[in-house]
Amino acid sequence: MSENIGIGSYKDLSNGADTIRTTSDNLKSSLNDGNSSISRLQNPRVLEGPIGDHINGIWKIVNNTTANNISTFEQSATTLNNVEDNYHATDNKSSNDVGGVI
């Protein structure tokens, strides 16, 4: 299975980075919503005792894991943008070098 890859293929990298950033933003929004909900549960007389402590402990794990995933997504998006820039620069240099020989 062979695909033709042209100059427009650079956009695939930036589109991938945009998709990752959108996912990251959605996760941030969901995490903020969850933090708000947990905050309401932590009000006195709403959810107390061992069950409240257990839920708070679980939420901390979910919160930390999600925050780490968001950070990884953002690093991945930046890496894709850097790869795109490097491919672009290399292709331009190669094109200029070949053009200079002709």
Side-chain angles (χ1 to χ4, degrees):
M1 175 188 321
S2 170
E3 263 187 63
N4 291 331
I5 298 177
I7 298 211
S9 300
Y10 295 123
K11 276 293 183 205
D12 293 341
L13 292 168
S14 61
N15 289 344
D18 291 344
T19 299
I20 290 171
R21 284 192 178 93
T22 297
T23 301
S24 178
D25 289 343
N26 290 340
L27 277 173
K28 285 178 192 174
S29 177
S30 295
L31 191 60
N32 287 335
D33 291 345
N35 283 333
S36 179
S37 295
I38 290 295
S39 178
R40 284 192 300 276
L41 285 176
Q42 291 173 334
N43 286 333
R45 304 188 65 115
V46 174
L47 192 59
E48 295 176 333
I51 292 175
D53 293 341
H54 181 71
I55 289 173
N56 286 334
I58 298 261
W59 179 251
K60 284 180 184 175
I61 293 169
V62 169
N63 191 314
N64 289 337
T65 301
T66 304
N68 287 338
N69 287 337
I70 290 168
S71 176
T72 300
F73 280 154
E74 290 172 352
Q75 291 170 359
S76 296
T78 298
T79 298
L80 280 179
N81 288 139
N82 289 339
V83 167
E84 177 186 11
D85 292 344
N86 288 335
Y87 272 127
H88 231 326
T90 301
D91 284 351
N92 284 337
K93 182 179 180 335
S94 296
S95 176
N96 290 339
D97 289 349
V98 169
V101 171
I102 295 177

